[in-house]
Structure formats: structure tokens, C-alpha cells
Amino acid sequence: MLLYKIEDFNPHYREAAFNGEDIKGLDIYAGNTDEKIGSIDTALVDETGRFRYFVVDTGFWIFGKKVLVPVALCRVDVDAERIYATGLRSKDQAERLPKYEDGMVVDYDYEEQVRGVYRTLTVEGSAPVEASLPLEASAPVSMPRSVSNQASAAGYDRNTYTYEQEPQLYQMNEREHHKFRLYEERLVAEKSRHKAGEVAIGKRVETETARVSIPTEKERVVIESITPGTAGAPVNRDTPFQQEKVMRMEVYEETAELKKEAFVREEVNIRKEVETEIVEATETLRREELEVKREGR
């Protein structure tokens, strides 16, 4: 059965399996001690999405080597946000594990190398099984006789092996990994913006009749007949009568001419003002409290 990195199997694994939290990066400690051996690089799941291994980056503990730890050999401390590798108890044991590299294919042969190291700790009542395993996963697989004998004695091979056959390696103890959450309701005030109305602003043309008074002038010719003081006196005989002599005088008058011109009368500024008012509301909130009932002693 093929194994996948959890982030490749489900990119949304944090929401699906850990309630938005991330197991990657958690510190991991050897056995049940305070000896930090590294951190969780990722987790490997099978084709059904079940957790099978934690990939542990040992950091400076073993010069940056990454190894696999079966999930059943780990204890998760939720409050301390750390993981205890109960099946990984010594540096010598970690050095005998095959190295895990990003991008490699974890197949049955590689897993048998890993399981061979941990079986020496999980098989009760039997003498320790010495497993001299290659450190590099890319090296040719040469199963130690003791590990191969264990697989043969258990009655499985690469075609018949299932993880259920070794629950001590892959069956997580729910009592050690359960996270109990208490919830409470909080009043969250939100505002939504919606259209309350609309103001249309335009112009219209109104008409009115205007009256204006304009004084105009016109000229007229006034002809007056007067008797000169020399009336009756004789004139020079040489002065001829000029019957054809005509005098001309131009006469002008003013007329009223009206035209219309547009002028700026006033300006109107348009703007919006925001008024704030307090809206009060009440709601009943619920909260969970832990209730422990003890029985017996």
C-alpha cells in the first residue's frame, strides 16, 4: 500500500483533521523523557487517509537525519504541544533506522526495515532481535535474517501484509490522543451596508416676463420765421436771387434693441455627511463548563 505526505493527500488537512491547527513543527521527545530529539516534519497516511508514520527531523540529534516513527509508538501531549516518541528511546536505535528523504517512495521493503527496528521493543516476552539495517533508503535492500524470519513466522509477505496485523505499531491509543474541547458563544457585532434611499439632483428651467424701460431720443427740424433788424433796407443789386439753393439737415432718432445674455446666478455644493448612532441589542449566550463525575475511589 502506497503512503503519501498528509499535505499531498489532503491540502486542507488542518481543517479536516486538526480543527485548523497544524501538527507539523511540533517538538518531539525521546521516550517519555525531556530529551528533545527533533520536530515533526510531516506525517504519512495510507490510501484510506489513516495515519501510519510521523516523519521526524532529528535536527542536530543525529545530524539532520529524518526517520519514521509508527503512530502507535507516539504519545501526543495536547496541553504541552509536544509529542513523545515512546518507541524511539535511544540515539543508537535512531541511527539504525533507515534515512527518510523527501520525494522517496516508501514501499514494503523500506517499511520492513523500519518495522524491524521497532519490533525489538514491541514484542513482549521475546529476546531482543538484533537488526543490522542499511541507513540509506536508496541502498539495496538486504533484509536481516531475524527480521525476515519475523515476517515469515507471522505468516505475511509483501502481498498479504496489512497494518492491522501489527496494532502495536499502527493502532493509536485514543485515550492518550483525545482532545476535549469546551466551547462558548460570544456576541459578535457586525455591520452590513445596504441602500437606504436615493437623492436625485437636477436642474429645471423656469420662465418669467421681464419689463425694462429704455429712454430713446429722436431729432426733429424746427423751422422758425423771424424778421431781421435790417428788414426794409436795400440790398446790393448785384446779389442775384438763388431760387435753386437747397439746405439739407439730417434727422436721427434712437430705437430700443433687446437681447438676452446668461450670467452665473449662484453655485450649489453637494456632499454627503455621515451620522453615527448607537444601536443596542441583547442576546442570550451559552458556554460549556467541564463537569467531572467520579465513581468509586
Side-chain angles (χ1 to χ4, degrees), residues 128-155:
V129 178
E130 296 295 335
S132 177
L133 302 179
L135 296 179
E136 299 294 334
S138 59
V141 177
S142 177
M143 296 297 296
R145 180 175 300 177
S146 56
V147 177
S148 300
N149 290 340
Q150 280 186 320
S152 299

PDB file of all heavy atoms in Angstrom, residues 128-155:
ATOM      1  N   PRO A 128      15.570  -9.654  22.594  1.00  0.00           N
ATOM      2  CA  PRO A 128      15.745  -8.594  21.594  1.00  0.00           C
ATOM      3  C   PRO A 128      16.279  -9.168  20.292  1.00  0.00           C
ATOM      4  O   PRO A 128      17.115 -10.049  20.274  1.00  0.00           O
ATOM      5  CB  PRO A 128      16.767  -7.655  22.245  1.00  0.00           C
ATOM      6  CG  PRO A 128      16.630  -7.930  23.714  1.00  0.00           C
ATOM      7  CD  PRO A 128      16.307  -9.394  23.832  1.00  0.00           C
ATOM      8  N   VAL A 129      15.723  -8.635  19.232  1.00  0.00           N
ATOM      9  CA  VAL A 129      16.145  -9.076  17.912  1.00  0.00           C
ATOM     10  C   VAL A 129      17.119  -8.056  17.373  1.00  0.00           C
ATOM     11  O   VAL A 129      16.789  -6.877  17.232  1.00  0.00           O
ATOM     12  CB  VAL A 129      14.920  -9.205  16.957  1.00  0.00           C
ATOM     13  CG1 VAL A 129      15.387  -9.628  15.572  1.00  0.00           C
ATOM     14  CG2 VAL A 129      13.919 -10.202  17.531  1.00  0.00           C
ATOM     15  N   GLU A 130      18.326  -8.477  17.080  1.00  0.00           N
ATOM     16  CA  GLU A 130      19.322  -7.570  16.539  1.00  0.00           C
ATOM     17  C   GLU A 130      19.046  -7.363  15.054  1.00  0.00           C
ATOM     18  O   GLU A 130      18.928  -8.318  14.292  1.00  0.00           O
ATOM     19  CB  GLU A 130      20.728  -8.149  16.735  1.00  0.00           C
ATOM     20  CG  GLU A 130      21.107  -8.298  18.197  1.00  0.00           C
ATOM     21  CD  GLU A 130      21.211  -6.942  18.883  1.00  0.00           C
ATOM     22  OE1 GLU A 130      21.465  -5.946  18.176  1.00  0.00           O
ATOM     23  OE2 GLU A 130      21.014  -6.877  20.110  1.00  0.00           O
ATOM     24  N   ALA A 131      18.919  -6.135  14.647  1.00  0.00           N
ATOM     25  CA  ALA A 131      18.642  -5.824  13.246  1.00  0.00           C
ATOM     26  C   ALA A 131      19.713  -4.891  12.741  1.00  0.00           C
ATOM     27  O   ALA A 131      19.804  -3.749  13.170  1.00  0.00           O
ATOM     28  CB  ALA A 131      17.262  -5.174  13.099  1.00  0.00           C
ATOM     29  N   SER A 132      20.552  -5.406  11.857  1.00  0.00           N
ATOM     30  CA  SER A 132      21.586  -4.578  11.251  1.00  0.00           C
ATOM     31  C   SER A 132      21.058  -4.094   9.907  1.00  0.00           C
ATOM     32  O   SER A 132      21.081  -4.821   8.925  1.00  0.00           O
ATOM     33  CB  SER A 132      22.869  -5.399  11.062  1.00  0.00           C
ATOM     34  OG  SER A 132      23.845  -4.632  10.411  1.00  0.00           O
ATOM     35  N   LEU A 133      20.527  -2.876   9.899  1.00  0.00           N
ATOM     36  CA  LEU A 133      19.820  -2.388   8.724  1.00  0.00           C
ATOM     37  C   LEU A 133      20.639  -1.321   8.021  1.00  0.00           C
ATOM     38  O   LEU A 133      21.359  -0.548   8.658  1.00  0.00           O
ATOM     39  CB  LEU A 133      18.469  -1.783   9.141  1.00  0.00           C
ATOM     40  CG  LEU A 133      17.543  -2.752   9.885  1.00  0.00           C
ATOM     41  CD1 LEU A 133      16.265  -2.026  10.250  1.00  0.00           C
ATOM     42  CD2 LEU A 133      17.233  -3.964   9.030  1.00  0.00           C
ATOM     43  N   PRO A 134      20.511  -1.214   6.712  1.00  0.00           N
ATOM     44  CA  PRO A 134      21.191  -0.131   5.985  1.00  0.00           C
ATOM     45  C   PRO A 134      20.606   1.214   6.378  1.00  0.00           C
ATOM     46  O   PRO A 134      19.409   1.330   6.615  1.00  0.00           O
ATOM     47  CB  PRO A 134      20.904  -0.449   4.514  1.00  0.00           C
ATOM     48  CG  PRO A 134      19.680  -1.308   4.528  1.00  0.00           C
ATOM     49  CD  PRO A 134      19.750  -2.095   5.806  1.00  0.00           C
ATOM     50  N   LEU A 135      21.421   2.229   6.452  1.00  0.00           N
ATOM     51  CA  LEU A 135      20.967   3.541   6.875  1.00  0.00           C
ATOM     52  C   LEU A 135      20.287   4.295   5.752  1.00  0.00           C
ATOM     53  O   LEU A 135      19.391   5.085   5.985  1.00  0.00           O
ATOM     54  CB  LEU A 135      22.162   4.355   7.409  1.00  0.00           C
ATOM     55  CG  LEU A 135      22.828   3.789   8.657  1.00  0.00           C
ATOM     56  CD1 LEU A 135      23.997   4.680   9.055  1.00  0.00           C
ATOM     57  CD2 LEU A 135      21.841   3.680   9.806  1.00  0.00           C
ATOM     58  N   GLU A 136      20.714   4.122   4.530  1.00  0.00           N
ATOM     59  CA  GLU A 136      20.154   4.868   3.431  1.00  0.00           C
ATOM     60  C   GLU A 136      19.027   4.080   2.783  1.00  0.00           C
ATOM     61  O   GLU A 136      19.170   2.906   2.461  1.00  0.00           O
ATOM     62  CB  GLU A 136      21.230   5.166   2.371  1.00  0.00           C
ATOM     63  CG  GLU A 136      22.371   6.005   2.894  1.00  0.00           C
ATOM     64  CD  GLU A 136      21.891   7.395   3.264  1.00  0.00           C
ATOM     65  OE1 GLU A 136      20.884   7.841   2.676  1.00  0.00           O
ATOM     66  OE2 GLU A 136      22.532   8.027   4.120  1.00  0.00           O
ATOM     67  N   ALA A 137      17.886   4.754   2.585  1.00  0.00           N
ATOM     68  CA  ALA A 137      16.742   4.074   1.979  1.00  0.00           C
ATOM     69  C   ALA A 137      17.003   3.734   0.525  1.00  0.00           C
ATOM     70  O   ALA A 137      16.390   2.836  -0.027  1.00  0.00           O
ATOM     71  CB  ALA A 137      15.494   4.953   2.087  1.00  0.00           C
ATOM     72  N   SER A 138      17.916   4.455  -0.099  1.00  0.00           N
ATOM     73  CA  SER A 138      18.176   4.213  -1.513  1.00  0.00           C
ATOM     74  C   SER A 138      19.159   3.070  -1.730  1.00  0.00           C
ATOM     75  O   SER A 138      19.398   2.656  -2.847  1.00  0.00           O
ATOM     76  CB  SER A 138      18.739   5.494  -2.153  1.00  0.00           C
ATOM     77  OG  SER A 138      19.927   5.882  -1.495  1.00  0.00           O
ATOM     78  N   ALA A 139      19.758   2.549  -0.640  1.00  0.00           N
ATOM     79  CA  ALA A 139      20.702   1.442  -0.773  1.00  0.00           C
ATOM     80  C   ALA A 139      19.954   0.156  -1.094  1.00  0.00           C
ATOM     81  O   ALA A 139      18.765   0.026  -0.811  1.00  0.00           O
ATOM     82  CB  ALA A 139      21.490   1.282   0.520  1.00  0.00           C
ATOM     83  N   PRO A 140      20.621  -0.826  -1.700  1.00  0.00           N
ATOM     84  CA  PRO A 140      19.953  -2.105  -1.992  1.00  0.00           C
ATOM     85  C   PRO A 140      19.418  -2.727  -0.709  1.00  0.00           C
ATOM     86  O   PRO A 140      20.071  -2.735   0.321  1.00  0.00           O
ATOM     87  CB  PRO A 140      21.074  -2.959  -2.599  1.00  0.00           C
ATOM     88  CG  PRO A 140      22.049  -1.972  -3.131  1.00  0.00           C
ATOM     89  CD  PRO A 140      22.003  -0.808  -2.208  1.00  0.00           C
ATOM     90  N   VAL A 141      18.179  -3.204  -0.796  1.00  0.00           N
ATOM     91  CA  VAL A 141      17.524  -3.755   0.384  1.00  0.00           C
ATOM     92  C   VAL A 141      18.039  -5.167   0.635  1.00  0.00           C
ATOM     93  O   VAL A 141      17.928  -6.052  -0.207  1.00  0.00           O
ATOM     94  CB  VAL A 141      15.988  -3.764   0.173  1.00  0.00           C
ATOM     95  CG1 VAL A 141      15.322  -4.413   1.362  1.00  0.00           C
ATOM     96  CG2 VAL A 141      15.495  -2.337  -0.045  1.00  0.00           C
ATOM     97  N   SER A 142      18.594  -5.373   1.815  1.00  0.00           N
ATOM     98  CA  SER A 142      19.061  -6.702   2.220  1.00  0.00           C
ATOM     99  C   SER A 142      18.524  -6.967   3.611  1.00  0.00           C
ATOM    100  O   SER A 142      19.065  -6.494   4.600  1.00  0.00           O
ATOM    101  CB  SER A 142      20.605  -6.744   2.224  1.00  0.00           C
ATOM    102  OG  SER A 142      21.046  -8.003   2.682  1.00  0.00           O
ATOM    103  N   MET A 143      17.393  -7.636   3.707  1.00  0.00           N
ATOM    104  CA  MET A 143      16.714  -7.821   4.982  1.00  0.00           C
ATOM    105  C   MET A 143      17.517  -8.741   5.890  1.00  0.00           C
ATOM    106  O   MET A 143      17.931  -9.819   5.467  1.00  0.00           O
ATOM    107  CB  MET A 143      15.313  -8.423   4.760  1.00  0.00           C
ATOM    108  CG  MET A 143      14.374  -7.507   3.985  1.00  0.00           C
ATOM    109  SD  MET A 143      14.069  -5.991   4.876  1.00  0.00           S
ATOM    110  CE  MET A 143      13.240  -6.679   6.303  1.00  0.00           C
ATOM    111  N   PRO A 144      17.761  -8.330   7.113  1.00  0.00           N
ATOM    112  CA  PRO A 144      18.403  -9.238   8.061  1.00  0.00           C
ATOM    113  C   PRO A 144      17.568 -10.496   8.248  1.00  0.00           C
ATOM    114  O   PRO A 144      16.341 -10.462   8.181  1.00  0.00           O
ATOM    115  CB  PRO A 144      18.465  -8.395   9.347  1.00  0.00           C
ATOM    116  CG  PRO A 144      18.330  -6.978   8.895  1.00  0.00           C
ATOM    117  CD  PRO A 144      17.477  -7.017   7.683  1.00  0.00           C
ATOM    118  N   ARG A 145      18.260 -11.571   8.513  1.00  0.00           N
ATOM    119  CA  ARG A 145      17.548 -12.846   8.622  1.00  0.00           C
ATOM    120  C   ARG A 145      16.542 -12.808   9.764  1.00  0.00           C
ATOM    121  O   ARG A 145      15.452 -13.368   9.672  1.00  0.00           O
ATOM    122  CB  ARG A 145      18.550 -13.982   8.835  1.00  0.00           C
ATOM    123  CG  ARG A 145      17.889 -15.362   8.961  1.00  0.00           C
ATOM    124  CD  ARG A 145      18.935 -16.449   9.042  1.00  0.00           C
ATOM    125  NE  ARG A 145      19.751 -16.432   7.826  1.00  0.00           N
ATOM    126  CZ  ARG A 145      20.781 -17.253   7.656  1.00  0.00           C
ATOM    127  NH1 ARG A 145      21.126 -18.123   8.610  1.00  0.00           N
ATOM    128  NH2 ARG A 145      21.469 -17.199   6.525  1.00  0.00           N
ATOM    129  N   SER A 146      16.878 -12.103  10.864  1.00  0.00           N
ATOM    130  CA  SER A 146      15.963 -12.094  12.007  1.00  0.00           C
ATOM    131  C   SER A 146      14.660 -11.396  11.651  1.00  0.00           C
ATOM    132  O   SER A 146      13.579 -11.835  12.031  1.00  0.00           O
ATOM    133  CB  SER A 146      16.627 -11.398  13.199  1.00  0.00           C
ATOM    134  OG  SER A 146      17.042 -10.088  12.818  1.00  0.00           O
ATOM    135  N   VAL A 147      14.728 -10.253  10.893  1.00  0.00           N
ATOM    136  CA  VAL A 147      13.521  -9.541  10.504  1.00  0.00           C
ATOM    137  C   VAL A 147      12.717 -10.360   9.516  1.00  0.00           C
ATOM    138  O   VAL A 147      11.496 -10.462   9.597  1.00  0.00           O
ATOM    139  CB  VAL A 147      13.890  -8.168   9.922  1.00  0.00           C
ATOM    140  CG1 VAL A 147      12.653  -7.448   9.434  1.00  0.00           C
ATOM    141  CG2 VAL A 147      14.626  -7.338  10.968  1.00  0.00           C
ATOM    142  N   SER A 148      13.398 -10.940   8.546  1.00  0.00           N
ATOM    143  CA  SER A 148      12.693 -11.781   7.573  1.00  0.00           C
ATOM    144  C   SER A 148      12.031 -12.955   8.270  1.00  0.00           C
ATOM    145  O   SER A 148      10.918 -13.358   7.906  1.00  0.00           O
ATOM    146  CB  SER A 148      13.677 -12.272   6.514  1.00  0.00           C
ATOM    147  OG  SER A 148      14.260 -11.171   5.847  1.00  0.00           O
ATOM    148  N   ASN A 149      12.712 -13.531   9.255  1.00  0.00           N
ATOM    149  CA  ASN A 149      12.116 -14.657   9.983  1.00  0.00           C
ATOM    150  C   ASN A 149      10.869 -14.221  10.720  1.00  0.00           C
ATOM    151  O   ASN A 149       9.899 -14.975  10.833  1.00  0.00           O
ATOM    152  CB  ASN A 149      13.136 -15.250  10.948  1.00  0.00           C
ATOM    153  CG  ASN A 149      14.265 -15.974  10.210  1.00  0.00           C
ATOM    154  OD1 ASN A 149      14.098 -16.339   9.040  1.00  0.00           O
ATOM    155  ND2 ASN A 149      15.394 -16.156  10.881  1.00  0.00           N
ATOM    156  N   GLN A 150      10.881 -12.976  11.258  1.00  0.00           N
ATOM    157  CA  GLN A 150       9.689 -12.498  11.955  1.00  0.00           C
ATOM    158  C   GLN A 150       8.520 -12.412  10.988  1.00  0.00           C
ATOM    159  O   GLN A 150       7.400 -12.786  11.324  1.00  0.00           O
ATOM    160  CB  GLN A 150       9.964 -11.122  12.555  1.00  0.00           C
ATOM    161  CG  GLN A 150      10.731 -11.162  13.875  1.00  0.00           C
ATOM    162  CD  GLN A 150      10.833  -9.780  14.475  1.00  0.00           C
ATOM    163  OE1 GLN A 150      11.039  -8.810  13.784  1.00  0.00           O
ATOM    164  NE2 GLN A 150      10.683  -9.723  15.773  1.00  0.00           N
ATOM    165  N   ALA A 151       8.740 -11.875   9.789  1.00  0.00           N
ATOM    166  CA  ALA A 151       7.662 -11.763   8.819  1.00  0.00           C
ATOM    167  C   ALA A 151       7.156 -13.134   8.409  1.00  0.00           C
ATOM    168  O   ALA A 151       5.958 -13.365   8.299  1.00  0.00           O
ATOM    169  CB  ALA A 151       8.154 -10.980   7.592  1.00  0.00           C
ATOM    170  N   SER A 152       8.095 -14.087   8.208  1.00  0.00           N
ATOM    171  CA  SER A 152       7.677 -15.430   7.806  1.00  0.00           C
ATOM    172  C   SER A 152       6.920 -16.110   8.920  1.00  0.00           C
ATOM    173  O   SER A 152       5.918 -16.799   8.689  1.00  0.00           O
ATOM    174  CB  SER A 152       8.910 -16.245   7.416  1.00  0.00           C
ATOM    175  OG  SER A 152       9.583 -15.627   6.324  1.00  0.00           O
ATOM    176  N   ALA A 153       7.399 -15.917  10.149  1.00  0.00           N
ATOM    177  CA  ALA A 153       6.727 -16.558  11.282  1.00  0.00           C
ATOM    178  C   ALA A 153       5.331 -15.989  11.488  1.00  0.00           C
ATOM    179  O   ALA A 153       4.421 -16.694  11.944  1.00  0.00           O
ATOM    180  CB  ALA A 153       7.572 -16.379  12.543  1.00  0.00           C
ATOM    181  N   ALA A 154       5.153 -14.700  11.175  1.00  0.00           N
ATOM    182  CA  ALA A 154       3.830 -14.096  11.351  1.00  0.00           C
ATOM    183  C   ALA A 154       2.881 -14.479  10.229  1.00  0.00           C
ATOM    184  O   ALA A 154       1.679 -14.219  10.323  1.00  0.00           O
ATOM    185  CB  ALA A 154       3.975 -12.573  11.421  1.00  0.00           C
ATOM    186  N   GLY A 155       3.388 -15.056   9.158  1.00  0.00           N
ATOM    187  CA  GLY A 155       2.535 -15.541   8.080  1.00  0.00           C
ATOM    188  C   GLY A 155       2.121 -14.470   7.096  1.00  0.00           C
ATOM    189  O   GLY A 155       0.996 -14.493   6.596  1.00  0.00           O
TER     190      GLY A 155
END
